[in-house]
Every structure is written in structure tokens, then in C-alpha cells.
């Protein structure tokens, strides 16, 4: 069994590996709230959106941007099957949304880090995305083209956001 400290350290290491300057933002941590669920995970997404919006690269395009409230973020998220989480997270970190031929990370780096993050949250982890698989739509959470993958084991979380100019 993996200790809480090892899970947290592992998730943070994966987040650091998956993040890229200006385009892919990733946060990982441990919830402080009792019995966290989707609203607490959406709140972490809101914090990541605020971090992105504060980045000088994006701030000038959306001055005064404030992330949507938690209920709107919850409504934008769709369940993602656990077996789809690692490939989806790796693709979010590696392949540019706007220019799919552009790579942010080498595929093997993204695959390894995403697989490790999913493994650390375990087979019972819950995963969410802003992509609606039934119709192919994306429920945008920012003023830009964006993609989100977020997961939790009920104690720890990882949230990844890729943004591209609209």
C-alpha cells in the first residue's frame, strides 16, 4: 500500500512533468475538506483557471477574467471512464488543441506521467473532462479553446488544463 505522502509526492511529480509553459497547467494535491466530491474538484479547476488567467501570456487577452463559479464548472464536466483517463491526460499534455501537429511534450513522457498519475489515484478513482463523448462537444471553461481532465481518489486530486488561442 502506498502512503499518503508518497501518493502526494508522486502526483505532484507527475503534475510537474505534464505541465508546459503557457499552454498546459497542471495541479495536484490533497483535499482539506471532509468527504470531497465533484464540487471540491471543480473548485481546484477554478484555482487552476485563475492561475492561467494570471499568467502574463493570457492576462492581456482576457483582462479581468474570473473563473466561472463552482456550479458552472461542475456542469461543464462529464464523467470519463477510468480506463480512458491516462490516454486522455497524456494527449492533453502532449498534443496542441489548436495545431494537432505541434507537440508540447514527447508522447512517451506524457504517456509515462499520465499513466503514473492515474495509477496513483487507483482503479476506483473518478475522472472528469469537459469533453462530451456522446456528441463530441467541448464545454469550454475559459475564454479560450480549452481541454480539461481532472481526477480524484476522494482524498487526492490532479487537474490538467490546456488552453489555446481562440
Amino acid at each position: 500500500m502506498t502512503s499518503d505522502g508518497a501518493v502526494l509526492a508522486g502526483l505532484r511529480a507527475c503534475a510537474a512533468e505534464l505541465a508546459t509553459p503557457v499552454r498546459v497547467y497542471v495541479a495536484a494535491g490533497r483535499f482539506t475538506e471532509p468527504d470531497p466530491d465533484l464540487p471540491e474538484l471543480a473548485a481546484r479547476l477554478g484555482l487552476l483557471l485563475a492561475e492561467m488567467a494570471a499568467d502574463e501570456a493570457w492576462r492581456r487577452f482576457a483582462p479581468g477574467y474570473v473563473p466561472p463559479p463552482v456550479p458552472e464548472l461542475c456542469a461543464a464536466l462529464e464523467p470519463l471512464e477510468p480506463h480512458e483517463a491516462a490516454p486522455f491526460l497524456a494527449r492533453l499534455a502532449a498534443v496542441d488543441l489548436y495545431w494537432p501537429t505541434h507537440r508540447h511534450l514527447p508522447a512517451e513522457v506524457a504517456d509515462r506521467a499520465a499513466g503514473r498519475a492515474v495509477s496513483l489515484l487507483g482503479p476506483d478513482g473518478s475522472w472528469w473532462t469537459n469533453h462530451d463523448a456522446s456528441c463530441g462537444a467541448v464545454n469550454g471553461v475559459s475564454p479560450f479553446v480549452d481541454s480539461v481532465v481532472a481526477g480524484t481518489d476522494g482524498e487526492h486530486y490532479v487537474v490538467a488544463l490546456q488552453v489555446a488561442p481562440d
Side-chain angles (χ1 to χ4, degrees):
M1 175 160 250
T2 307
S3 75
D4 176 64
V7 170
L8 185 56
L11 287 172
R12 288 185 173 154
C14 291
E17 231 179 319
L18 293 167
T20 65
V22 181
R23 284 299 185 83
V24 181
Y25 298 82
V26 186
R30 185 176 191 284
F31 290 110
T32 56
E33 304 87 352
D35 300 319
D37 203 356
L38 182 56
E40 289 77 16
L41 188 60
R44 295 317 187 275
L45 171 57
L47 292 173
L48 196 58
L49 286 163
E51 179 184 322
M52 175 274 303
D55 190 324
E56 187 177 330
W58 297 105
R59 187 176 51 227
R60 63 189 171 120
F61 295 112
Y65 168 74
V66 176
V70 167
E72 285 182 32
L73 291 173
C74 286
L77 298 175
E78 302 281 337
L80 181 65
E81 292 296 325
H83 69 275
E84 297 173 327
F88 204 108
L89 180 57
R91 191 169 52 252
L92 179 147
V95 179
D96 190 85
L97 291 169
Y98 203 70
W99 302 106
T101 57
H102 177 73
R103 303 292 265 178
H104 294 294
L105 292 174
E108 52 282 349
V109 171
D111 288 343
R112 183 182 61 249
R116 176 86 173 124
V118 171
S119 175
L120 286 165
L121 291 182
D124 296 327
S126 299
W127 290 89
W128 302 86
T129 182
N130 63 335
H131 293 253
D132 186 336
S134 65
C135 67
V138 176
N139 304 312
V141 295
S142 79
F144 310 107
V145 177
D146 58 59
S147 186
V148 173
V149 176
T152 181
D153 64 0
E155 186 174 350
H156 304 91
Y157 65 88
V158 63
V159 179
L161 165 72
Q162 186 189 136
V163 290
D166 190 0

